Amino acid sequence: MLAIVAWIFDDVHAGTTGQLLTAAAVFGILNTILKPIMRLLTLPFAVLTLGLAWFGVSMLMLWLTSILVSGFDVDGFWTYVWATVVIWLLNVVIDVGEYYRRSPSGQPALGH
């Protein structure tokens, strides 16, 4: 996903292939471990803002990735906003594809 975001936006610099892979790994780890904790902590604020606070949490994960991975840089607030929107859209596409890949019984169409 980060490679697609870097390809779409001129202000997202992926660095080398190794730096991009490192950024993807860090982004995945942050989204798996830190993001659920942050969503829980911001739950009251998310209720008040009708979920907009969680968009900020998603932007924070991207910002932390750019801070932690040398060579992966995102320049500008609006780039963070639109990159987060693109990542969300890519996740929707993947989720829909996964849904249609499964059979009506909820089991994967291929395999067990």
Side-chain angles (χ1 to χ4, degrees):
M1 282 191 218
L2 295 182
I4 294 171
V5 168
W7 179 70
I8 293 172
F9 297 103
D10 291 334
D11 289 336
V12 177
H13 310 284
T16 65
T17 302
Q19 290 167 327
L20 179 60
L21 292 173
T22 302
V26 168
F27 189 66
I29 291 167
L30 288 172
N31 278 320
T32 302
I33 297 171
L34 185 59
K35 188 175 181 178
I37 296 168
M38 293 300 297
R39 286 182 71 155
L40 182 63
L41 292 174
T42 60
L43 180 60
F45 191 60
V47 170
L48 291 174
T49 62
L50 302 176
L52 190 60
W54 287 344
F55 184 80
V57 170
S58 295
M59 282 180 35
L60 177 66
M61 298 304 110
L62 188 58
W63 178 74
L64 286 172
T65 301
S66 71
I67 294 295
L68 294 172
V69 179
S70 174
F72 180 79
D73 297 309
V74 181
D75 299 330
F77 173 78
W78 290 109
T79 306
Y80 278 107
V81 170
W82 289 110
T84 302
V85 168
V86 168
I87 290 169
W88 174 78
L89 286 171
L90 290 170
N91 278 322
V92 168
V93 168
I94 291 169
D95 288 346
V96 168
E98 182 67 20
Y99 173 79
Y100 283 111
R101 190 181 71 80
R102 295 180 180 271
S103 68
S105 66
Q107 296 298 318
L110 302 173
H112 297 84

